[in-house]
Amino acid sequence: MPKNENVFSSWRGWCGRVTSRLVHRGWRAVQRAGAVTAERPGPYRFGRIGVGTRLAFPQGTLFGEPWIELGEHCVIGEQVTLTAGMMPDVDLGPEPVLRIGNGVVLGRGSHVIASVCVEFGDDVFCGPYVYVTSDNHSYDDPDRPIGRQWPRSAPVHIGPGSWLGAGAVILPGARLGRNVVVAAGAVVRGEVPDHAVVAGAPARIIRRWAPDEGWQPPLRTPAPVPIPEDMTVEQLLALAELERERERAPEQAGERDLEVEERGLERDQAGERDLEPEERGLEREPGAGAS
């Protein structure tokens, strides 16, 4: 009986492994087929999708696509919401409402809500769950539910080269300059100058770069050395191996020093052993002369 149980358990385990492989393989195929690109837009009719741009599957909520323009080589993660207008099937006029520049990255689960102009400059990188909106609830009337009051709207601009950390919130009317860093979880409103780092809720400037002073306050760590653009994969692997050898060199040197010390200690102990008979002989000689 235990033998039959083992056979059944092995069969069930094999079936589970095969099923798992098939499910993951099938899901990858679904993700490839469901991705939205300029060549395969699916059911969506964006105002523009640039070459090399890809919206990962599954997508989040998408509507108002004719008023959404996506630049070239953008990466839009899974479950990202992109909406133009407050609801589907609304004519928003001749101009695009949501513009996303070239090389923009929107992390998984991010939301971009635009009923008036929201613009991302080129090469803006966003972590997961970033929230950018041109609309905010109003609460002027104390007797009416806030969700039923007409929202306040204002354009949003995010300058090229900026980086928005995970969970950052960009509120209506925000204008971020070039190469701005928004810390994770920060809530940004108002204007942020070029080359500034902001953090907190509400966000405030915690570091800024000036041409005559550099970063103030100074950066705590040195800038990383960039990888040369013409470096091949083989060269990178060889460089990594060289770095590992350099890391091992102090350890190997320490081991060699320890071996030398151990050998020196062994020689000292051997010398002491050789010296003991001579000392015992010297101790006996005075006694022999006295007799």
Coordinates of all heavy atoms in Angstrom, one line a residue, residues 11-102:
W11 N 3.0 10.7 -9.6 CA 2.2 11.0 -10.8 C 1.6 12.4 -10.6 O 1.6 13.2 -11.5 CB 1.2 9.9 -11.0 CG 0.1 10.3 -12.0 CD1 -1.1 10.6 -11.8 CD2 0.3 10.3 -13.4 NE1 -1.8 10.9 -13.0 CE2 -0.9 10.7 -14.0 CE3 1.4 10.1 -14.3 CZ2 -1.1 10.8 -15.4 CZ3 1.2 10.2 -15.6 CH2 0.0 10.6 -16.2
R12 N 1.0 12.6 -9.4 CA 0.4 13.9 -9.1 C 1.4 15.1 -9.2 O 1.1 16.1 -9.8 CB -0.3 13.9 -7.8 CG -1.1 15.2 -7.5 CD -1.9 15.0 -6.3 NE -1.1 14.6 -5.1 CZ -1.6 14.4 -3.9 NH1 -2.9 14.4 -3.7 NH2 -0.8 14.1 -2.9
G13 N 2.6 14.8 -8.7 CA 3.6 15.9 -8.7 C 4.0 16.2 -10.2 O 4.2 17.3 -10.6
W14 N 4.2 15.1 -11.0 CA 4.6 15.3 -12.4 C 3.5 16.1 -13.1 O 3.8 17.0 -13.9 CB 4.8 13.9 -13.0 CG 5.2 14.0 -14.5 CD1 6.4 14.2 -15.0 CD2 4.3 13.9 -15.6 NE1 6.4 14.3 -16.4 CE2 5.0 14.1 -16.8 CE3 2.9 13.7 -15.7 CZ2 4.5 14.1 -18.0 CZ3 2.3 13.7 -17.0 CH2 3.1 13.9 -18.2
C15 N 2.2 15.7 -12.9 CA 1.1 16.4 -13.5 C 1.1 17.9 -13.1 O 0.8 18.8 -13.9 CB -0.2 15.8 -13.1 SG -0.5 14.2 -13.9
G16 N 1.4 18.2 -11.8 CA 1.4 19.6 -11.4 C 2.5 20.4 -12.0 O 2.3 21.5 -12.4
R17 N 3.7 19.8 -12.2 CA 4.8 20.5 -12.9 C 4.5 20.7 -14.3 O 4.7 21.8 -14.8 CB 6.1 19.6 -12.7 CG 6.6 19.6 -11.3 CD 8.0 19.0 -11.3 NE 8.1 17.6 -11.7 CZ 7.9 16.6 -10.9 NH1 7.7 16.8 -9.6 NH2 7.9 15.4 -11.4
V18 N 3.9 19.8 -15.0 CA 3.5 20.0 -16.4 C 2.5 21.0 -16.6 O 2.6 21.9 -17.4 CB 3.1 18.6 -17.0 CG1 2.5 18.8 -18.4 CG2 4.2 17.6 -17.1
T19 N 1.5 21.0 -15.7 CA 0.4 22.0 -15.7 C 0.9 23.4 -15.5 O 0.6 24.3 -16.2 CB -0.7 21.6 -14.7 OG1 -1.2 20.3 -14.9 CG2 -1.8 22.6 -14.8
S20 N 1.8 23.5 -14.5 CA 2.4 24.8 -14.2 C 3.2 25.3 -15.4 O 3.0 26.5 -15.8 CB 3.4 24.7 -13.0 OG 4.0 25.9 -12.8
R21 N 4.0 24.5 -16.1 CA 4.7 24.9 -17.3 C 3.8 25.4 -18.4 O 4.0 26.4 -19.0 CB 5.6 23.8 -17.8 CG 6.8 23.5 -16.8 CD 7.8 22.6 -17.6 NE 8.8 22.1 -16.6 CZ 8.7 20.8 -16.1 NH1 7.8 20.0 -16.5 NH2 9.7 20.4 -15.3
L22 N 2.7 24.6 -18.6 CA 1.7 24.9 -19.6 C 1.0 26.2 -19.3 O 0.8 27.1 -20.2 CB 0.7 23.8 -19.8 CG 1.3 22.5 -20.4 CD1 0.2 21.4 -20.4 CD2 1.8 22.7 -21.8
V23 N 0.7 26.4 -18.1 CA 0.0 27.7 -17.7 C 0.9 28.9 -17.9 O 0.4 29.9 -18.5 CB -0.5 27.6 -16.2 CG1 -1.0 29.0 -15.8 CG2 -1.7 26.6 -16.1
H24 N 2.1 28.8 -17.5 CA 3.0 29.9 -17.6 C 3.4 30.2 -19.1 O 3.4 31.3 -19.6 CB 4.3 29.7 -16.8 CG 4.1 29.9 -15.4 ND1 4.1 31.2 -14.8 CD2 3.9 29.0 -14.3 CE1 3.9 31.1 -13.5 NE2 3.8 29.8 -13.2
R25 N 3.5 29.1 -19.9 CA 3.8 29.2 -21.3 C 2.6 29.9 -22.0 O 2.8 30.8 -22.8 CB 4.1 27.9 -21.9 CG 4.6 27.9 -23.3 CD 5.0 26.6 -23.8 NE 6.0 26.0 -23.0 CZ 6.4 24.7 -23.1 NH1 5.9 23.9 -24.0 NH2 7.4 24.2 -22.4
G26 N 1.4 29.4 -21.6 CA 0.2 30.0 -22.2 C 0.0 31.4 -21.9 O -0.4 32.3 -22.7
W27 N 0.3 31.8 -20.6 CA 0.2 33.2 -20.2 C 1.2 34.1 -20.9 O 0.8 35.2 -21.3 CB 0.4 33.3 -18.7 CG 0.3 34.7 -18.2 CD1 1.3 35.5 -17.6 CD2 -0.9 35.6 -18.2 NE1 0.8 36.7 -17.3 CE2 -0.5 36.8 -17.7 CE3 -2.2 35.4 -18.7 CZ2 -1.4 37.9 -17.6 CZ3 -3.1 36.4 -18.6 CH2 -2.7 37.7 -18.0
R28 N 2.4 33.6 -21.1 CA 3.3 34.4 -21.9 C 2.9 34.6 -23.3 O 3.0 35.7 -23.9 CB 4.7 33.7 -21.9 CG 5.4 33.9 -20.5 CD 6.9 33.5 -20.7 NE 7.1 32.1 -21.0 CZ 7.2 31.1 -20.1 NH1 7.2 31.4 -18.8 NH2 7.4 29.9 -20.4
A29 N 2.3 33.6 -23.9 CA 1.7 33.7 -25.2 C 0.6 34.7 -25.3 O 0.5 35.6 -26.2 CB 1.2 32.4 -25.8
V30 N -0.3 34.7 -24.2 CA -1.4 35.7 -24.1 C -0.8 37.1 -24.0 O -1.3 38.0 -24.6 CB -2.3 35.3 -23.0 CG1 -3.3 36.4 -22.7 CG2 -3.1 34.0 -23.3
Q31 N 0.2 37.3 -23.2 CA 0.8 38.6 -23.0 C 1.4 39.1 -24.3 O 1.2 40.3 -24.6 CB 1.9 38.5 -21.9 CG 1.4 38.4 -20.5 CD 2.5 38.3 -19.5 OE1 3.4 37.5 -19.6 NE2 2.4 39.2 -18.5
R32 N 2.0 38.3 -25.1 CA 2.6 38.7 -26.4 C 1.5 39.1 -27.3 O 1.5 40.1 -28.0 CB 3.5 37.6 -27.0 CG 4.8 37.4 -26.3 CD 5.7 36.5 -27.1 NE 5.2 35.2 -27.2 CZ 5.4 34.2 -26.4 NH1 6.2 34.4 -25.4 NH2 4.9 33.0 -26.6
A33 N 0.4 38.3 -27.3 CA -0.7 38.5 -28.3 C -1.5 39.8 -27.9 O -2.0 40.5 -28.7 CB -1.6 37.3 -28.4
G34 N -1.6 40.0 -26.5 CA -2.4 41.1 -26.0 C -1.7 42.4 -26.0 O -2.4 43.5 -25.7
A35 N -0.4 42.5 -26.2 CA 0.3 43.7 -26.1 C -0.2 44.6 -27.3 O -0.4 44.2 -28.4 CB 1.8 43.5 -26.2
V36 N -0.2 45.9 -27.0 CA -0.6 46.9 -28.0 C 0.6 47.7 -28.5 O 1.4 48.2 -27.7 CB -1.6 47.9 -27.3 CG1 -1.9 49.1 -28.3 CG2 -2.9 47.2 -26.9
T37 N 0.7 47.7 -29.8 CA 1.8 48.4 -30.5 C 1.2 49.1 -31.7 O 0.0 49.0 -32.0 CB 2.9 47.4 -31.0 OG1 2.3 46.5 -32.0 CG2 3.4 46.6 -29.8
A38 N 2.0 49.9 -32.4 CA 1.6 50.6 -33.6 C 1.1 49.6 -34.6 O 0.1 49.9 -35.4 CB 2.7 51.5 -34.1
E39 N 1.8 48.5 -34.7 CA 1.4 47.5 -35.7 C 0.2 46.6 -35.3 O -0.5 46.2 -36.1 CB 2.6 46.5 -36.0 CG 3.8 47.2 -36.6 CD 4.6 48.0 -35.5 OE1 4.4 47.7 -34.3 OE2 5.4 48.8 -35.9
R40 N 0.0 46.5 -34.0 CA -1.1 45.7 -33.5 C -1.8 46.5 -32.4 O -1.6 46.3 -31.2 CB -0.6 44.4 -32.9 CG 0.1 43.5 -33.9 CD 0.5 42.2 -33.3 NE 1.5 42.4 -32.2 CZ 1.9 41.4 -31.4 NH1 1.4 40.2 -31.5 NH2 2.8 41.6 -30.5
P41 N -2.6 47.5 -32.8 CA -3.3 48.3 -31.8 C -4.5 47.7 -31.1 O -5.0 48.3 -30.2 CB -3.8 49.5 -32.7 CG -4.0 48.9 -34.1 CD -2.9 47.9 -34.2
G42 N -4.9 46.5 -31.5 CA -6.0 45.8 -30.9 C -7.3 46.7 -31.1 O -7.5 47.2 -32.2
P43 N -8.1 46.8 -30.1 CA -9.4 47.5 -30.2 C -9.2 49.0 -30.0 O -10.2 49.7 -30.1 CB -10.3 46.9 -29.1 CG -9.3 46.5 -28.0 CD -8.0 46.1 -28.7
Y44 N -8.0 49.5 -29.8 CA -7.8 50.9 -29.4 C -7.4 51.7 -30.6 O -6.6 51.2 -31.5 CB -6.8 51.0 -28.3 CG -7.1 50.2 -27.1 CD1 -6.4 49.0 -26.8 CD2 -8.2 50.5 -26.3 CE1 -6.7 48.2 -25.7 CE2 -8.5 49.7 -25.2 CZ -7.7 48.5 -24.9 OH -8.1 47.8 -23.9
R45 N -7.8 52.9 -30.7 CA -7.5 53.8 -31.8 C -6.9 55.1 -31.2 O -7.6 56.1 -31.1 CB -8.8 54.1 -32.6 CG -9.4 52.9 -33.3 CD -8.4 52.3 -34.3 NE -8.9 51.1 -35.0 CZ -8.7 49.9 -34.6 NH1 -7.9 49.7 -33.5 NH2 -9.2 48.9 -35.2
F46 N -5.7 55.0 -30.8 CA -5.0 56.2 -30.3 C -4.7 57.2 -31.3 O -4.6 56.9 -32.5 CB -3.6 55.7 -29.7 CG -3.7 54.9 -28.4 CD1 -3.7 53.6 -28.4 CD2 -3.9 55.6 -27.2 CE1 -3.8 52.8 -27.2 CE2 -4.0 54.9 -26.0 CZ -4.0 53.5 -26.0
G47 N -4.6 58.5 -30.9 CA -4.3 59.5 -31.8 C -3.0 59.3 -32.5 O -2.8 59.6 -33.6
R48 N -2.0 58.7 -31.7 CA -0.7 58.3 -32.3 C -0.1 57.3 -31.4 O -0.1 57.4 -30.1 CB 0.2 59.5 -32.4 CG 1.6 59.2 -32.9 CD 2.4 60.5 -33.1 NE 3.7 60.2 -33.5 CZ 4.8 60.2 -32.6 NH1 4.6 60.7 -31.4 NH2 6.0 59.9 -33.1
I49 N 0.6 56.3 -32.0 CA 1.4 55.3 -31.3 C 2.7 55.3 -32.0 O 2.8 54.9 -33.2 CB 0.9 53.9 -31.2 CG1 -0.5 53.9 -30.4 CG2 1.9 53.0 -30.4 CD1 -1.0 52.5 -30.3
G50 N 3.8 55.8 -31.4 CA 5.1 55.8 -32.1 C 5.7 54.5 -32.3 O 5.3 53.5 -31.7
V51 N 6.7 54.4 -33.2 CA 7.4 53.2 -33.5 C 8.1 52.7 -32.2 O 8.8 53.5 -31.5 CB 8.5 53.5 -34.6 CG1 9.3 52.2 -34.8 CG2 7.8 53.9 -35.9
G52 N 8.0 51.4 -31.9 CA 8.7 50.8 -30.8 C 8.0 50.9 -29.5 O 8.5 50.4 -28.5
T53 N 6.9 51.6 -29.5 CA 6.1 51.7 -28.2 C 5.2 50.5 -28.0 O 4.7 49.9 -28.9 CB 5.2 53.0 -28.3 OG1 6.0 54.1 -28.2 CG2 4.2 53.0 -27.1
R54 N 5.1 50.1 -26.7 CA 4.4 48.9 -26.4 C 3.7 49.1 -25.1 O 4.2 49.5 -24.1 CB 5.4 47.7 -26.2 CG 4.8 46.4 -25.8 CD 6.0 45.4 -25.6 NE 5.5 44.1 -25.2 CZ 5.2 43.1 -26.0 NH1 5.4 43.2 -27.3 NH2 4.8 41.9 -25.6
L55 N 2.4 48.7 -25.1 CA 1.5 48.7 -23.9 C 1.4 47.2 -23.5 O 0.8 46.4 -24.2 CB 0.2 49.3 -24.2 CG 0.1 50.8 -24.3 CD1 0.6 51.3 -25.6 CD2 -1.3 51.3 -24.1
A56 N 1.9 46.9 -22.3 CA 1.9 45.5 -21.9 C 0.5 45.1 -21.6 O -0.4 45.8 -21.2 CB 2.8 45.4 -20.7
F57 N 0.3 43.8 -21.7 CA -1.0 43.2 -21.4 C -0.9 42.5 -20.0 O 0.1 41.9 -19.7 CB -1.4 42.1 -22.5 CG -2.7 41.4 -22.3 CD1 -3.8 42.0 -22.7 CD2 -2.7 40.2 -21.6 CE1 -5.1 41.4 -22.5 CE2 -3.9 39.6 -21.4 CZ -5.1 40.2 -21.8
P58 N -2.0 42.6 -19.2 CA -3.2 43.3 -19.5 C -3.1 44.8 -19.2 O -2.4 45.2 -18.3 CB -4.2 42.6 -18.4 CG -3.3 42.2 -17.3 CD -2.0 41.8 -17.9
Q59 N -3.8 45.5 -20.1 CA -3.9 46.9 -19.9 C -4.9 47.3 -18.8 O -5.8 46.6 -18.5 CB -4.3 47.6 -21.2 CG -3.3 47.5 -22.3 CD -3.4 46.3 -23.2 OE1 -4.5 45.7 -23.3 NE2 -2.3 45.8 -23.7
G60 N -4.7 48.5 -18.3 CA -5.6 49.1 -17.4 C -6.8 49.7 -18.1 O -7.1 49.4 -19.3
T61 N -7.5 50.7 -17.5 CA -8.6 51.4 -18.1 C -8.1 52.3 -19.2 O -7.2 53.1 -18.9 CB -9.4 52.2 -17.1 OG1 -9.9 51.3 -16.1 CG2 -10.6 52.9 -17.7
L62 N -8.6 52.2 -20.4 CA -8.2 53.1 -21.5 C -9.5 53.6 -22.2 O -10.3 52.8 -22.6 CB -7.4 52.3 -22.6 CG -6.1 51.7 -22.1 CD1 -5.5 50.8 -23.3 CD2 -5.1 52.7 -21.7
F63 N -9.6 54.9 -22.2 CA -10.6 55.5 -23.0 C -10.2 56.9 -23.4 O -9.3 57.5 -22.9 CB -12.0 55.5 -22.3 CG -12.1 56.3 -21.1 CD1 -12.2 57.7 -21.1 CD2 -12.2 55.7 -19.8 CE1 -12.3 58.5 -19.9 CE2 -12.3 56.4 -18.6 CZ -12.4 57.8 -18.7
G64 N -10.9 57.5 -24.4 CA -10.5 58.7 -25.0 C -9.2 58.6 -25.8 O -8.5 59.6 -26.0
E65 N -9.0 57.4 -26.4 CA -7.7 57.2 -27.1 C -7.5 58.2 -28.3 O -6.3 58.5 -28.5 CB -7.7 55.7 -27.7 CG -8.0 54.7 -26.7 CD -9.5 54.3 -26.8 OE1 -9.8 53.3 -27.6 OE2 -10.3 54.9 -26.1
P66 N -8.5 58.6 -29.0 CA -8.2 59.6 -30.1 C -7.5 60.8 -29.6 O -6.9 61.5 -30.4 CB -9.6 59.9 -30.7 CG -10.4 58.6 -30.4 CD -9.9 58.2 -29.0
W67 N -7.6 61.2 -28.3 CA -7.0 62.4 -27.8 C -5.7 62.0 -27.0 O -5.3 62.9 -26.2 CB -8.0 63.1 -26.9 CG -9.1 63.7 -27.8 CD1 -9.1 64.9 -28.4 CD2 -10.3 63.1 -28.1 NE1 -10.3 65.1 -29.1 CE2 -11.1 64.0 -28.9 CE3 -10.9 61.9 -27.8 CZ2 -12.3 63.7 -29.4 CZ3 -12.2 61.6 -28.3 CH2 -12.9 62.5 -29.1
I68 N -5.2 60.8 -27.2 CA -4.0 60.4 -26.5 C -2.9 60.1 -27.5 O -3.1 59.4 -28.5 CB -4.2 59.1 -25.7 CG1 -5.3 59.4 -24.6 CG2 -2.9 58.6 -25.0 CD1 -5.7 58.1 -23.8
E69 N -1.8 60.7 -27.4 CA -0.6 60.6 -28.3 C 0.5 60.0 -27.5 O 0.9 60.5 -26.5 CB -0.2 61.9 -28.9 CG -1.2 62.4 -29.9 CD -0.7 63.6 -30.6 OE1 0.4 64.1 -30.3 OE2 -1.4 64.1 -31.6
L70 N 1.1 58.8 -28.0 CA 2.2 58.2 -27.4 C 3.4 58.3 -28.3 O 3.3 57.9 -29.5 CB 1.9 56.7 -27.2 CG 0.6 56.4 -26.3 CD1 0.3 54.9 -26.3 CD2 0.7 57.0 -25.0
G71 N 4.5 58.7 -27.8 CA 5.7 58.9 -28.6 C 6.4 57.6 -29.0 O 5.8 56.5 -28.8
E72 N 7.6 57.7 -29.5 CA 8.3 56.5 -29.9 C 9.1 55.8 -28.7 O 9.5 56.5 -27.8 CB 9.3 56.9 -31.0 CG 8.6 57.4 -32.2 CD 9.6 57.8 -33.3 OE1 10.9 57.7 -33.0 OE2 9.2 58.3 -34.4
H73 N 9.2 54.5 -28.8 CA 10.0 53.7 -27.9 C 9.5 53.9 -26.4 O 10.4 54.0 -25.5 CB 11.4 54.0 -28.1 CG 11.9 53.7 -29.5 ND1 12.0 52.5 -30.0 CD2 12.3 54.6 -30.5 CE1 12.4 52.6 -31.3 NE2 12.6 53.9 -31.6
C74 N 8.3 54.0 -26.2 CA 7.7 54.1 -24.8 C 7.5 52.7 -24.3 O 7.1 51.8 -25.0 CB 6.4 54.9 -24.8 SG 6.7 56.6 -25.3
V75 N 7.6 52.5 -23.0 CA 7.3 51.3 -22.3 C 6.1 51.6 -21.3 O 6.3 52.3 -20.3 CB 8.5 50.7 -21.6 CG1 8.1 49.4 -20.8 CG2 9.6 50.4 -22.6
I76 N 5.0 51.0 -21.6 CA 3.8 51.2 -20.7 C 3.5 49.8 -20.0 O 3.2 48.8 -20.7 CB 2.5 51.6 -21.5 CG1 2.9 52.8 -22.5 CG2 1.4 52.0 -20.6 CD1 3.4 54.0 -21.8
G77 N 3.7 49.8 -18.7 CA 3.6 48.5 -18.0 C 2.2 48.0 -17.9 O 1.2 48.6 -18.4
E78 N 2.1 46.8 -17.2 CA 0.8 46.2 -17.0 C -0.1 47.0 -16.2 O 0.3 47.7 -15.3 CB 1.0 44.8 -16.4 CG 1.7 43.8 -17.2 CD 1.9 42.5 -16.5 OE1 1.2 42.3 -15.5 OE2 2.7 41.7 -17.0
Q79 N -1.4 46.9 -16.4 CA -2.5 47.6 -15.6 C -2.3 49.1 -15.5 O -2.6 49.7 -14.5 CB -2.5 46.9 -14.2 CG -2.8 45.5 -14.2 CD -4.3 45.2 -14.6 OE1 -5.1 46.1 -14.7 NE2 -4.6 43.9 -14.8
V80 N -1.8 49.7 -16.5 CA -1.6 51.2 -16.6 C -2.9 51.8 -17.1 O -3.3 51.4 -18.2 CB -0.4 51.6 -17.4 CG1 -0.4 53.1 -17.6 CG2 0.9 51.2 -16.6
T81 N -3.4 52.8 -16.4 CA -4.6 53.5 -16.9 C -4.3 54.7 -17.6 O -3.5 55.5 -17.1 CB -5.5 53.8 -15.7 OG1 -6.1 52.5 -15.2 CG2 -6.7 54.7 -16.1
L82 N -4.8 54.9 -18.8 CA -4.6 56.2 -19.6 C -6.0 56.6 -20.0 O -6.7 55.9 -20.8 CB -3.7 55.9 -20.8 CG -2.3 55.4 -20.6 CD1 -1.6 55.1 -21.9 CD2 -1.5 56.4 -19.8
T83 N -6.4 57.8 -19.5 CA -7.8 58.3 -19.9 C -7.7 59.7 -20.3 O -6.9 60.5 -19.8 CB -8.8 58.1 -18.8 OG1 -8.4 59.0 -17.7 CG2 -8.8 56.7 -18.3
A84 N -8.4 60.1 -21.3 CA -8.6 61.5 -21.8 C -10.1 61.8 -21.7 O -11.0 61.1 -22.2 CB -8.1 61.7 -23.2
G85 N -10.4 62.8 -20.9 CA -11.8 63.1 -20.6 C -12.3 62.5 -19.4 O -11.7 61.6 -18.8
M86 N -13.4 63.0 -18.9 CA -13.9 62.4 -17.6 C -14.7 61.2 -17.8 O -15.0 60.5 -16.8 CB -14.8 63.5 -16.9 CG -14.1 64.7 -16.5 SD -15.1 65.9 -15.6 CE -13.9 67.2 -15.2
M87 N -15.1 60.8 -19.0 CA -15.8 59.6 -19.3 C -15.7 59.3 -20.7 O -15.3 60.1 -21.5 CB -17.3 59.8 -18.9 CG -18.0 60.9 -19.7 SD -19.7 61.2 -19.1 CE -19.3 62.0 -17.5
P88 N -15.9 58.0 -21.1 CA -15.8 57.6 -22.5 C -16.8 58.4 -23.4 O -17.8 58.9 -23.0 CB -16.0 56.1 -22.5 CG -15.9 55.7 -21.1 CD -16.3 56.9 -20.3
D89 N -16.4 58.3 -24.7 CA -17.3 58.8 -25.8 C -17.7 60.3 -25.6 O -18.8 60.7 -25.9 CB -18.6 58.0 -25.8 CG -18.3 56.5 -26.0 OD1 -17.4 56.2 -26.8 OD2 -19.0 55.7 -25.4
V90 N -16.7 61.1 -25.2 CA -16.9 62.5 -25.1 C -16.0 63.2 -26.2 O -14.8 62.9 -26.2 CB -16.6 63.1 -23.7 CG1 -16.7 64.6 -23.7 CG2 -17.6 62.4 -22.7
D91 N -16.6 64.1 -26.9 CA -15.8 64.8 -27.9 C -14.9 65.9 -27.2 O -15.5 66.9 -26.6 CB -16.7 65.5 -29.0 CG -15.9 66.1 -30.1 OD1 -14.7 66.2 -30.0 OD2 -16.5 66.4 -31.2
L92 N -13.6 65.8 -27.3 CA -12.7 66.7 -26.6 C -12.1 67.8 -27.5 O -11.2 68.5 -27.0 CB -11.6 65.9 -25.9 CG -12.1 64.8 -24.9 CD1 -11.0 64.1 -24.3 CD2 -12.9 65.5 -23.7
G93 N -12.6 67.8 -28.7 CA -12.1 68.9 -29.6 C -11.0 68.4 -30.5 O -10.6 67.2 -30.5
P94 N -10.3 69.3 -31.2 CA -9.4 68.9 -32.3 C -8.0 68.6 -31.7 O -7.2 68.0 -32.4 CB -9.3 70.1 -33.2 CG -9.7 71.3 -32.3 CD -10.6 70.8 -31.3
E95 N -7.6 69.1 -30.5 CA -6.3 68.9 -30.0 C -6.2 67.7 -29.1 O -7.1 67.4 -28.4 CB -5.9 70.2 -29.3 CG -5.8 71.4 -30.2 CD -4.8 71.3 -31.2 OE1 -3.7 70.7 -31.0 OE2 -5.0 71.9 -32.3
P96 N -5.0 67.1 -29.0 CA -4.8 66.0 -28.1 C -4.8 66.5 -26.7 O -4.4 67.7 -26.4 CB -3.4 65.5 -28.4 CG -2.7 66.6 -29.2 CD -3.8 67.3 -29.9
V97 N -5.2 65.7 -25.8 CA -5.3 66.0 -24.3 C -4.2 65.5 -23.5 O -3.6 66.1 -22.6 CB -6.7 65.6 -23.8 CG1 -6.8 65.8 -22.3 CG2 -7.8 66.3 -24.5
L98 N -3.8 64.2 -23.9 CA -2.7 63.6 -23.2 C -1.6 63.3 -24.1 O -1.8 62.6 -25.1 CB -3.2 62.3 -22.5 CG -2.1 61.4 -21.9 CD1 -1.3 62.1 -20.9 CD2 -2.8 60.1 -21.3
R99 N -0.4 63.9 -23.9 CA 0.7 63.7 -24.8 C 1.8 63.1 -23.9 O 2.2 63.6 -22.9 CB 1.2 65.1 -25.3 CG 0.3 65.8 -26.3 CD 1.0 67.0 -26.8 NE 0.2 67.8 -27.7 CZ -0.5 68.9 -27.4 NH1 -0.4 69.3 -26.1 NH2 -1.2 69.5 -28.3
I100 N 2.4 62.0 -24.5 CA 3.5 61.3 -23.8 C 4.6 61.3 -24.8 O 4.5 60.8 -25.9 CB 3.1 59.9 -23.4 CG1 2.0 59.9 -22.3 CG2 4.3 59.0 -23.0 CD1 1.5 58.6 -21.8
G101 N 5.8 61.8 -24.4 CA 6.9 62.0 -25.3 C 7.6 60.7 -25.6 O 7.2 59.6 -25.3
N102 N 8.7 60.8 -26.3 CA 9.5 59.7 -26.7 C 10.3 59.1 -25.5 O 10.8 59.8 -24.7 CB 10.5 60.0 -27.8 CG 9.9 60.6 -29.1 OD1 8.8 60.1 -29.4 ND2 10.5 61.5 -29.7

